Amino acid sequence: MQMRDGTVRAAFIALTVAVSSGVATFFTLYSLIPAARAESPEAGSLYVGVLMTCVIAVQVGTPALVRRFSLRSVVLGSLLVLGVGALATGIFGAGPLHGAELIGLLAGGVVSGVGFGVLIVAGSQGVGLLVPGLGLGQALGMYGLVTMLATALGSPAGVQLALSTSPAVLGAVAAGLCVLGAVFGARIPRSTGKHLGVGRSTKTAKDLPVITTPGALRLLALTLVFLLLAVLFLAHGITSLPAYARGAVEPALTILLVQIGAAAGRWLGGAAEVWLTRVGAITLAGVLVILGASGGMLGTHSLVLGVAAIVMGAGVGTAQTVGLHMAMRRIDAGRASVVWNLAVDGGLWLGGVLAGLALAQGILDAGILASACLLAGVGAALAVQEHRRERPST
């Protein structure tokens, strides 16, 4: 579908703003119950597990929804569903966490997860549908930057609002934000994506050759495991660490620092491959995550915990960028995006569940240590394998 440059720009901005409103809402909900109900970490763990299960469950079918109903319809519908889920989460998150109230809270998690899972896939697919092939890389970069800033700023602001007022107030504000996002999303051209294929064909960048040998696919699997393990620490940073460090650092500030670090790490991951090669970038990601997690585990001073949160987030962000780049070198960009998102969401699901349980059982330090050892082992294996395959021409 060809559109004039001005129309493309307006549609791209509308899509980016719409998705950003949903991203800010979702990550607020992801952190809300663990941070606001620190006295019931099991409930927070259960809520995050339900939320992420639903996010993951609907992602594969989203491109078919876009083909059937159009990008605009899917974005609008998913934002409204997410808004309803946020409102339910806020209402039931403010009451007792048992019986009918717990059922209502988990239902809010189901609805929120479904809405966000569809929205986040449709958003990235929509960039490919709206922007001509030659400008796609730049558009994806801008889209990622804006949505990540929405996460870094919106999530801690939402958590702080809930802590200073009530989860119910946050739920109402989040629902309103989703409605506002839908107003922007209504500017997406009506027929975009309808009855089309999953996406338009775009040229593969010459510096990202697609490698599909069995050895490369095994290395891809190792890359995704490394990414998932790194994202476990992101889940810790925005769920259990705010509760763990609450006596020294405000929960909203902890979440903000972790996510600012992750935003910086996304840039650092790309730069590190140029400075240090991919092997060096893998090593840097693992070292930053482990250093940050260790500081958060051992430190009791607010400055130590704050720096640790930033460093850990930077390591996770570096791992995310390196992981996506390496995936796109081994399979086509579309499938690489799918498996990358599944690894990230799988890490958020697993990390959110395990962090809450570990905090409830008083074994969070042991869990962090075990996860750090796993990350170090997988990272070392990945670095060795990548070193063997690395060629000067790549």
Side-chain angles (χ1 to χ4, degrees):
M1 186 169 83
Q2 297 295 327
M3 295 184 289
R4 298 186 307 274
D5 286 347
T7 306
V8 170
R9 188 178 300 108
F12 172 74
I13 292 172
L15 174 67
T16 303
V17 173
V19 175
S20 295
S21 71
V23 168
T25 297
F26 170 78
F27 277 97
T28 298
L29 298 180
Y30 185 89
S31 300
L32 175 64
I33 303 304
R37 308 303 296 269
E39 77 284 358
S40 303
E42 300 93 337
S45 177
L46 181 59
Y47 176 81
V48 171
V50 168
L51 180 74
M52 291 310 305
T53 297
C54 294
V55 169
I56 294 170
V58 299
Q59 288 183 340
V60 174
T62 297
L65 290 177
V66 173
R67 292 196 301 272
R68 175 67 178 84
F69 297 106
S70 84
L71 176 66
R72 184 173 78 164
S73 297
V74 171
V75 169
L76 296 184
S78 59
L79 275 170
L80 295 178
V81 169
L82 176 57
V84 170
L87 185 60
T89 296
I91 291 173
F92 290 103
L97 295 180
H98 57 77
E101 291 82 4
L102 179 59
I103 293 173
L105 176 65
L106 296 181
V110 170
V111 176
S112 299
V114 169
F116 181 74
V118 172
L119 177 68
I120 197 65
V121 173
S124 57
Q125 180 185 359
V127 178
L129 291 170
L130 289 169
V131 180
L134 292 178
L136 181 58
Q138 185 178 5
L140 285 171
M142 182 59 65
Y143 173 84
L145 173 63
V146 174
T147 54
M148 181 167 291
L149 286 175
T151 301
L153 300 177
S155 174
V159 170
Q160 184 60 39
L161 175 63
L163 294 179
S164 60
T165 56
S166 75
V169 171
L170 180 277
V173 172
L177 181 62
C178 288
V179 172
L180 180 61
V183 171
F184 279 93
R187 295 178 59 84
I188 299 170
R190 187 181 301 273
S191 62
T192 302
K194 192 172 183 179
H195 304 310
L196 296 178
V198 174
R200 291 199 306 246
S201 174
T202 56
K203 295 182 179 180
T204 302
K206 293 181 180 179
D207 61 335
L208 295 176
V210 176
I211 308 168
T212 55
T213 63
L217 295 179
R218 286 194 296 270
L219 188 56
L220 171 64
L222 191 62
T223 301
L224 296 176
V225 172
F226 177 73
L227 176 61
L228 185 148
L229 289 171
V231 175
L232 290 180
F233 289 91
L234 178 61
H236 162 58
I238 59 180
T239 58
S240 53
L241 182 60
Y244 182 84
R246 191 167 188 161
V249 183
E250 285 295 319
L253 179 58
T254 303
I255 295 167
L256 175 63
L257 294 176
V258 170
Q259 292 182 333
I260 285 177
R266 292 296 293 271
W267 170 83
L268 180 61
E273 288 197 12
V274 177
W275 300 337
L276 304 173
T277 74
R278 283 188 295 279
V279 172
I282 294 166
T283 304
L284 178 63
V287 168
L288 288 175
V289 169
I290 293 170
L291 283 177
S294 300
M297 180 175 64
L298 301 175
T300 56
H301 191 277
S302 59
L303 179 60
V304 174
L305 288 168
V307 171
I310 294 174
V311 171
M312 185 172 68
V316 176
T318 301
Q320 286 180 292
T321 296
V322 173
L324 181 58
H325 189 183
M326 292 179 67
M328 287 189 173
R329 290 181 56 79
R330 285 158 179 84
I331 55 177
D332 66 86
R335 287 184 295 165
S337 179
V338 170
V339 297
W340 183 86
N341 273 292
L342 288 175
V344 170
D345 291 338
L348 288 173
W349 179 89
L350 187 61
V353 171
L354 293 181
L357 294 177
L359 191 62
Q361 298 299 318
I363 57 172
L364 185 62
D365 287 353
I368 292 172
L369 180 61
S371 299
C373 290
L374 283 173
L375 180 68
V378 173
L382 179 62
V384 168
Q385 292 298 317
E386 180 64 25
H387 177 70
R388 290 174 178 172
R389 299 183 63 88
E390 215 167 42
R391 297 289 185 273
S393 61
T394 62

mmCIF file of all heavy atoms in Angstrom, residues 29-35 37-51 97 102 105-106 239 352-353 355-357:
data_model
loop_
_atom_site.group_PDB
_atom_site.id
_atom_site.type_symbol
_atom_site.label_atom_id
_atom_site.label_comp_id
_atom_site.label_asym_id
_atom_site.label_seq_id
_atom_site.Cartn_x
_atom_site.Cartn_y
_atom_site.Cartn_z
ATOM 1 N N LEU A 29 1.027 -2.131 35.183
ATOM 2 C CA LEU A 29 0.298 -3.272 35.747
ATOM 3 C C LEU A 29 1.253 -4.393 36.129
ATOM 4 O O LEU A 29 1.048 -5.070 37.148
ATOM 5 C CB LEU A 29 -0.722 -3.794 34.731
ATOM 6 C CG LEU A 29 -1.822 -2.819 34.303
ATOM 7 C CD1 LEU A 29 -2.746 -3.484 33.300
ATOM 8 C CD2 LEU A 29 -2.600 -2.319 35.507
ATOM 9 N N TYR A 30 2.296 -4.593 35.339
ATOM 10 C CA TYR A 30 3.260 -5.666 35.613
ATOM 11 C C TYR A 30 3.920 -5.461 36.974
ATOM 12 O O TYR A 30 4.168 -6.423 37.711
ATOM 13 C CB TYR A 30 4.308 -5.690 34.503
ATOM 14 C CG TYR A 30 5.296 -6.833 34.595
ATOM 15 C CD1 TYR A 30 5.030 -8.055 33.995
ATOM 16 C CD2 TYR A 30 6.502 -6.687 35.270
ATOM 17 C CE1 TYR A 30 5.933 -9.111 34.072
ATOM 18 C CE2 TYR A 30 7.410 -7.730 35.362
ATOM 19 C CZ TYR A 30 7.116 -8.931 34.754
ATOM 20 O OH TYR A 30 8.013 -9.975 34.842
ATOM 21 N N SER A 31 4.205 -4.214 37.308
ATOM 22 C CA SER A 31 4.872 -3.912 38.572
ATOM 23 C C SER A 31 3.900 -3.605 39.707
ATOM 24 O O SER A 31 4.294 -3.616 40.879
ATOM 25 C CB SER A 31 5.808 -2.705 38.395
ATOM 26 O OG SER A 31 6.793 -2.947 37.424
ATOM 27 N N LEU A 32 2.639 -3.315 39.387
ATOM 28 C CA LEU A 32 1.719 -2.744 40.361
ATOM 29 C C LEU A 32 1.472 -3.644 41.572
ATOM 30 O O LEU A 32 1.684 -3.222 42.714
ATOM 31 C CB LEU A 32 0.386 -2.423 39.676
ATOM 32 C CG LEU A 32 -0.721 -1.921 40.611
ATOM 33 C CD1 LEU A 32 -0.327 -0.595 41.233
ATOM 34 C CD2 LEU A 32 -2.036 -1.797 39.843
ATOM 35 N N ILE A 33 0.992 -4.850 41.345
ATOM 36 C CA ILE A 33 0.597 -5.710 42.470
ATOM 37 C C ILE A 33 1.809 -6.111 43.315
ATOM 38 O O ILE A 33 1.759 -6.030 44.546
ATOM 39 C CB ILE A 33 -0.176 -6.938 41.976
ATOM 40 C CG1 ILE A 33 -1.410 -6.502 41.177
ATOM 41 C CG2 ILE A 33 -0.606 -7.815 43.150
ATOM 42 C CD1 ILE A 33 -2.345 -5.579 41.931
ATOM 43 N N PRO A 34 2.945 -6.527 42.704
ATOM 44 C CA PRO A 34 4.114 -6.828 43.545
ATOM 45 C C PRO A 34 4.579 -5.630 44.373
ATOM 46 O O PRO A 34 5.005 -5.793 45.515
ATOM 47 C CB PRO A 34 5.174 -7.249 42.525
ATOM 48 C CG PRO A 34 4.391 -7.773 41.368
ATOM 49 C CD PRO A 34 3.183 -6.893 41.295
ATOM 50 N N ALA A 35 4.514 -4.422 43.816
ATOM 51 C CA ALA A 35 4.998 -3.249 44.545
ATOM 52 C C ALA A 35 3.980 -2.733 45.554
ATOM 53 O O ALA A 35 4.319 -2.355 46.668
ATOM 54 C CB ALA A 35 5.359 -2.134 43.564
ATOM 55 N N ARG A 37 1.368 -4.404 46.882
ATOM 56 C CA ARG A 37 0.944 -5.397 47.863
ATOM 57 C C ARG A 37 2.122 -6.259 48.276
ATOM 58 O O ARG A 37 2.109 -7.483 48.143
ATOM 59 C CB ARG A 37 -0.190 -6.260 47.281
ATOM 60 C CG ARG A 37 -1.350 -5.461 46.722
ATOM 61 C CD ARG A 37 -1.975 -4.515 47.766
ATOM 62 N NE ARG A 37 -2.573 -5.225 48.873
ATOM 63 C CZ ARG A 37 -3.852 -5.619 48.912
ATOM 64 N NH1 ARG A 37 -4.647 -5.344 47.887
ATOM 65 N NH2 ARG A 37 -4.328 -6.241 49.949
ATOM 66 N N ALA A 38 3.162 -5.588 48.750
ATOM 67 C CA ALA A 38 4.402 -6.291 49.121
ATOM 68 C C ALA A 38 4.171 -7.297 50.235
ATOM 69 O O ALA A 38 4.952 -8.242 50.396
ATOM 70 C CB ALA A 38 5.464 -5.280 49.546
ATOM 71 N N GLU A 39 3.083 -7.131 51.005
ATOM 72 C CA GLU A 39 2.805 -8.071 52.087
ATOM 73 C C GLU A 39 2.240 -9.396 51.567
ATOM 74 O O GLU A 39 2.133 -10.364 52.318
ATOM 75 C CB GLU A 39 1.796 -7.447 53.073
ATOM 76 C CG GLU A 39 0.353 -7.432 52.612
ATOM 77 C CD GLU A 39 0.036 -6.368 51.568
ATOM 78 O OE1 GLU A 39 0.956 -5.603 51.219
ATOM 79 O OE2 GLU A 39 -1.124 -6.299 51.124
ATOM 80 N N SER A 40 1.889 -9.454 50.282
ATOM 81 C CA SER A 40 1.334 -10.672 49.684
ATOM 82 C C SER A 40 2.079 -11.008 48.392
ATOM 83 O O SER A 40 1.507 -10.946 47.292
ATOM 84 C CB SER A 40 -0.164 -10.489 49.392
ATOM 85 O OG SER A 40 -0.870 -10.135 50.557
ATOM 86 N N PRO A 41 3.384 -11.355 48.486
ATOM 87 C CA PRO A 41 4.156 -11.599 47.266
ATOM 88 C C PRO A 41 3.633 -12.770 46.433
ATOM 89 O O PRO A 41 3.805 -12.791 45.224
ATOM 90 C CB PRO A 41 5.567 -11.879 47.796
ATOM 91 C CG PRO A 41 5.390 -12.242 49.226
ATOM 92 C CD PRO A 41 4.187 -11.500 49.699
ATOM 93 N N GLU A 42 2.964 -13.748 47.090
ATOM 94 C CA GLU A 42 2.415 -14.871 46.322
ATOM 95 C C GLU A 42 1.327 -14.382 45.358
ATOM 96 O O GLU A 42 1.245 -14.849 44.224
ATOM 97 C CB GLU A 42 1.829 -15.935 47.255
ATOM 98 C CG GLU A 42 2.833 -16.531 48.221
ATOM 99 C CD GLU A 42 2.841 -15.810 49.561
ATOM 100 O OE1 GLU A 42 2.411 -14.630 49.603
ATOM 101 O OE2 GLU A 42 3.281 -16.425 50.543
ATOM 102 N N ALA A 43 0.502 -13.444 45.815
ATOM 103 C CA ALA A 43 -0.547 -12.905 44.947
ATOM 104 C C ALA A 43 0.057 -12.132 43.779
ATOM 105 O O ALA A 43 -0.417 -12.218 42.641
ATOM 106 C CB ALA A 43 -1.489 -12.005 45.750
ATOM 107 N N GLY A 44 1.118 -11.362 44.059
ATOM 108 C CA GLY A 44 1.795 -10.651 42.987
ATOM 109 C C GLY A 44 2.385 -11.596 41.966
ATOM 110 O O GLY A 44 2.297 -11.380 40.759
ATOM 111 N N SER A 45 2.981 -12.678 42.451
ATOM 112 C CA SER A 45 3.557 -13.681 41.561
ATOM 113 C C SER A 45 2.481 -14.326 40.701
ATOM 114 O O SER A 45 2.658 -14.511 39.494
ATOM 115 C CB SER A 45 4.290 -14.739 42.394
ATOM 116 O OG SER A 45 4.794 -15.758 41.578
ATOM 117 N N LEU A 46 1.345 -14.655 41.320
ATOM 118 C CA LEU A 46 0.248 -15.288 40.585
ATOM 119 C C LEU A 46 -0.311 -14.345 39.530
ATOM 120 O O LEU A 46 -0.565 -14.750 38.384
ATOM 121 C CB LEU A 46 -0.844 -15.698 41.569
ATOM 122 C CG LEU A 46 -2.077 -16.395 40.988
ATOM 123 C CD1 LEU A 46 -1.674 -17.679 40.272
ATOM 124 C CD2 LEU A 46 -3.095 -16.681 42.093
ATOM 125 N N TYR A 47 -0.485 -13.070 39.892
ATOM 126 C CA TYR A 47 -1.020 -12.100 38.940
ATOM 127 C C TYR A 47 -0.095 -11.939 37.730
ATOM 128 O O TYR A 47 -0.550 -11.965 36.579
ATOM 129 C CB TYR A 47 -1.229 -10.749 39.619
ATOM 130 C CG TYR A 47 -1.683 -9.669 38.663
ATOM 131 C CD1 TYR A 47 -3.010 -9.567 38.298
ATOM 132 C CD2 TYR A 47 -0.769 -8.774 38.100
ATOM 133 C CE1 TYR A 47 -3.436 -8.588 37.401
ATOM 134 C CE2 TYR A 47 -1.180 -7.804 37.207
ATOM 135 C CZ TYR A 47 -2.513 -7.717 36.865
ATOM 136 O OH TYR A 47 -2.925 -6.763 35.960
ATOM 137 N N VAL A 48 1.201 -11.769 37.990
ATOM 138 C CA VAL A 48 2.147 -11.599 36.883
ATOM 139 C C VAL A 48 2.179 -12.844 36.003
ATOM 140 O O VAL A 48 2.262 -12.760 34.779
ATOM 141 C CB VAL A 48 3.554 -11.276 37.433
ATOM 142 C CG1 VAL A 48 4.595 -11.325 36.317
ATOM 143 C CG2 VAL A 48 3.565 -9.897 38.078
ATOM 144 N N GLY A 49 2.105 -14.027 36.619
ATOM 145 C CA GLY A 49 2.098 -15.258 35.838
ATOM 146 C C GLY A 49 0.904 -15.345 34.909
ATOM 147 O O GLY A 49 1.032 -15.703 33.725
ATOM 148 N N VAL A 50 -0.275 -15.002 35.415
ATOM 149 C CA VAL A 50 -1.481 -15.015 34.586
ATOM 150 C C VAL A 50 -1.379 -13.965 33.484
ATOM 151 O O VAL A 50 -1.698 -14.221 32.314
ATOM 152 C CB VAL A 50 -2.724 -14.760 35.471
ATOM 153 C CG1 VAL A 50 -3.953 -14.479 34.612
ATOM 154 C CG2 VAL A 50 -2.986 -15.958 36.375
ATOM 155 N N LEU A 51 -0.938 -12.766 33.852
ATOM 156 C CA LEU A 51 -0.799 -11.682 32.885
ATOM 157 C C LEU A 51 0.096 -12.082 31.726
ATOM 158 O O LEU A 51 -0.281 -11.957 30.549
ATOM 159 C CB LEU A 51 -0.218 -10.455 33.606
ATOM 160 C CG LEU A 51 0.010 -9.187 32.793
ATOM 161 C CD1 LEU A 51 -1.317 -8.500 32.480
ATOM 162 C CD2 LEU A 51 0.931 -8.218 33.550
ATOM 163 N N LEU A 97 -6.961 -9.800 48.965
ATOM 164 C CA LEU A 97 -6.440 -10.665 47.900
ATOM 165 C C LEU A 97 -6.798 -12.121 48.181
ATOM 166 O O LEU A 97 -5.939 -12.993 48.325
ATOM 167 C CB LEU A 97 -4.928 -10.479 47.773
ATOM 168 C CG LEU A 97 -4.486 -9.090 47.318
ATOM 169 C CD1 LEU A 97 -2.983 -9.001 47.211
ATOM 170 C CD2 LEU A 97 -5.139 -8.701 46.000
ATOM 171 N N LEU A 102 -9.738 -11.906 44.627
ATOM 172 C CA LEU A 102 -8.601 -12.481 43.919
ATOM 173 C C LEU A 102 -9.000 -12.936 42.518
ATOM 174 O O LEU A 102 -8.256 -12.730 41.552
ATOM 175 C CB LEU A 102 -8.019 -13.655 44.704
ATOM 176 C CG LEU A 102 -6.823 -14.362 44.064
ATOM 177 C CD1 LEU A 102 -5.669 -13.387 43.853
ATOM 178 C CD2 LEU A 102 -6.378 -15.546 44.923
ATOM 179 N N LEU A 105 -9.188 -9.895 40.407
ATOM 180 C CA LEU A 105 -7.850 -9.408 40.073
ATOM 181 C C LEU A 105 -7.231 -10.235 38.953
ATOM 182 O O LEU A 105 -6.668 -9.685 37.993
ATOM 183 C CB LEU A 105 -6.962 -9.460 41.319
ATOM 184 C CG LEU A 105 -5.493 -9.080 41.122
ATOM 185 C CD1 LEU A 105 -5.375 -7.614 40.719
ATOM 186 C CD2 LEU A 105 -4.693 -9.359 42.391
ATOM 187 N N LEU A 106 -7.349 -11.547 39.062
ATOM 188 C CA LEU A 106 -6.775 -12.417 38.029
ATOM 189 C C LEU A 106 -7.508 -12.261 36.702
ATOM 190 O O LEU A 106 -6.893 -12.344 35.634
ATOM 191 C CB LEU A 106 -6.803 -13.868 38.495
ATOM 192 C CG LEU A 106 -5.946 -14.176 39.730
ATOM 193 C CD1 LEU A 106 -6.037 -15.657 40.088
ATOM 194 C CD2 LEU A 106 -4.492 -13.767 39.509
ATOM 195 N N THR A 239 9.871 -5.952 39.737
ATOM 196 C CA THR A 239 8.869 -6.562 40.616
ATOM 197 C C THR A 239 9.423 -6.746 42.029
ATOM 198 O O THR A 239 9.040 -6.051 42.954
ATOM 199 C CB THR A 239 8.375 -7.913 40.065
ATOM 200 O OG1 THR A 239 9.489 -8.806 39.897
ATOM 201 C CG2 THR A 239 7.659 -7.734 38.738
ATOM 202 N N GLY A 352 8.817 -12.972 36.698
ATOM 203 C CA GLY A 352 7.798 -12.418 37.564
ATOM 204 C C GLY A 352 7.248 -13.434 38.542
ATOM 205 O O GLY A 352 7.005 -13.127 39.713
ATOM 206 N N VAL A 353 7.072 -14.673 38.075
ATOM 207 C CA VAL A 353 6.563 -15.735 38.952
ATOM 208 C C VAL A 353 7.612 -16.140 39.978
ATOM 209 O O VAL A 353 7.350 -16.188 41.188
ATOM 210 C CB VAL A 353 6.129 -16.952 38.113
ATOM 211 C CG1 VAL A 353 5.798 -18.136 39.022
ATOM 212 C CG2 VAL A 353 4.921 -16.606 37.256
ATOM 213 N N ALA A 355 10.381 -14.610 40.980
ATOM 214 C CA ALA A 355 10.825 -13.561 41.895
ATOM 215 C C ALA A 355 9.860 -13.406 43.063
ATOM 216 O O ALA A 355 10.271 -13.286 44.223
ATOM 217 C CB ALA A 355 10.967 -12.235 41.142
ATOM 218 N N GLY A 356 8.563 -13.424 42.768
ATOM 219 C CA GLY A 356 7.587 -13.314 43.836
ATOM 220 C C GLY A 356 7.644 -14.485 44.801
ATOM 221 O O GLY A 356 7.567 -14.315 46.019
ATOM 222 N N LEU A 357 7.778 -15.686 44.254
ATOM 223 C CA LEU A 357 7.854 -16.869 45.108
ATOM 224 C C LEU A 357 9.126 -16.853 45.954
ATOM 225 O O LEU A 357 9.095 -17.196 47.144
ATOM 226 C CB LEU A 357 7.804 -18.134 44.249
ATOM 227 C CG LEU A 357 6.482 -18.384 43.502
ATOM 228 C CD1 LEU A 357 6.599 -19.625 42.633
ATOM 229 C CD2 LEU A 357 5.322 -18.522 44.488
#
